[in-house]
Amino acid sequence: MSLTAADVTADVAEALFLQPAELDHQLDLRDQGMDSVRTMELVDRWRRAGVPGISFIALAEDRRLERWIEVVRELQPVAAEPPSLRTCIATVSLGGSLTDKLDAVAAAGFDGIELLDADLRDSSLSASEVAARCADLGLTIDAYQPFRRAEGVSAAEFTDVLARFRGELDVMAGLGTGSILVVSNTDDDADPDRDLSARQLSALADAAAERGMSVTYEALAWGTHVGRFADAWDVVRRAGHPALTVTVDTFHMISRGEDAGALDGVPMDKISLAQVADAPMLSMDLKQWSRNHRCLPGDGEFDLRTPLRALWAAGYRGPLSLEIFNPEIRAQPPHDVAARGARALDALLAELDGAVPGPDASGDPVRA
């Protein structure tokens, strides 16, 4: 589907509760009632309509309708082609300095990273220097993570949560990344009211949207009240915010006994990140299992193929990221681990019987 100038005009008019003829194509849309939340809703709508490169930042440069029509036209693919797979790895998966990690990730052929906040804090590099280094290596920063104790807190504390969150948005601006991963509350005093969690996540998404950014929410298996993917999706669904999505993590799903059926009915445009880790089947504390025993695909006993096949069959086209918490693996040379990780991920994807789009002539997965 190709969006025409009339389509773009109609969508903008609908967002502003106007008739298309009432819009001034040369006047700044902010003066006609457009705000950041409505802009993010249009970004979401146009991505789903086949404009994958559209973003808040692209629209914020010039907020006249005539320019938005040009932007949509420029970013639409000439022909609809199946998107290629993007592979990433979380920096927590590797040992060494952040510079060592970035070099190893690029050498292994990954497309991007999830950047752990502690890796940035411990680095001698500033956020802008990390962004420049990634650009030089051809890497994207697909997510900045994690942001903790974000929801299920009292109204008084949430004021402090917002202040902390805005500080992280400043860091993200320096990094040039637009997505922050928020994890479910794991503290004993977390409030079980999911509507409260939805409202608080919506407030964070509002703050992110004002900066042209978005929030992705992940259920930690040991979350006090949100410990399963289904729980996290329920909160995101209740929030209904265009700048709020949900993350799939194979460890958290499988360790809590969830299968691919947990993904049924979830719109794939509301899943923005899929994290992959294998593990041995153990009976132990979930947090300790996750933090110490994750391993590369094929080295454990988890069925990773079924949920991944379900994701792609349903239309998921976001990043696929290795997230391997394991101190023994982090003690190994990062170049070796990154290379093994890339091979393991390729081997896993090769077993998905054509479910993953973008194979080359040899049948191997193609990386964007």
Side-chain angles (χ1 to χ4, degrees), residues 206-224:
D206 279 340
E210 290 171 1
R211 306 285 292 271
M213 300 170 182
S214 61
V215 175
T216 185
Y217 183 52
E218 178 184 14
L220 298 182
W222 55 94
T224 309

Side-chain angles (χ1 to χ4, degrees), residues 157-176:
E157 182 181 349
F158 191 68
T159 300
D160 295 332
V161 170
L162 266 176
R164 283 195 295 117
F165 186 75
R166 292 183 189 281
E168 295 291 66
L169 296 180
D170 290 339
V171 174
M172 291 168 60
L175 292 169

Side-chain angles (χ1 to χ4, degrees), residues 302-316:
F302 281 7
D303 173 15
L304 303 177
R305 299 163 190 80
T306 301
L308 291 182
R309 188 178 287 115
L311 273 174
W312 285 104
Y316 174 76

Side-chain angles (χ1 to χ4, degrees), residues 84-87 268 271-274 312 315-321:
S84 299
L85 176 67
R86 285 186 45 75
T87 57
M268 287 299 108
I271 299 177
S272 59
L273 180 64
W312 285 104
Y316 174 76
R317 297 299 181 264
L320 189 65
S321 179

Side-chain angles (χ1 to χ4, degrees), residues 267-287:
M268 287 299 108
D269 60 308
K270 296 302 290 184
I271 299 177
S272 59
L273 180 64
Q275 297 172 325
V276 179
D278 206 340
M281 296 302 296
L282 300 171
S283 179
M284 63 183 301
D285 176 79
L286 288 168
K287 184 175 181 180

Side-chain angles (χ1 to χ4, degrees), residues 103-167:
D103 290 345
V105 170
F110 287 95
D111 299 302
I113 61 168
E114 288 182 73
L115 180 59
L116 184 72
D117 57 359
D119 282 335
L120 178 61
R121 288 195 302 270
D122 294 343
S123 173
S124 61
L125 301 177
S126 67
S128 60
E129 288 170 335
V130 171
R133 181 64 179 161
C134 286
D136 289 342
L137 293 170
L139 296 172
T140 55
I141 303 176
D142 290 274
Y144 180 60
Q145 61 120 328
F147 187 78
R148 303 183 186 280
R149 196 169 171 87
E151 44 76 26
V153 300
S154 68
E157 182 181 349
F158 191 68
T159 300
D160 295 332
V161 170
L162 266 176
R164 283 195 295 117
F165 186 75
R166 292 183 189 281

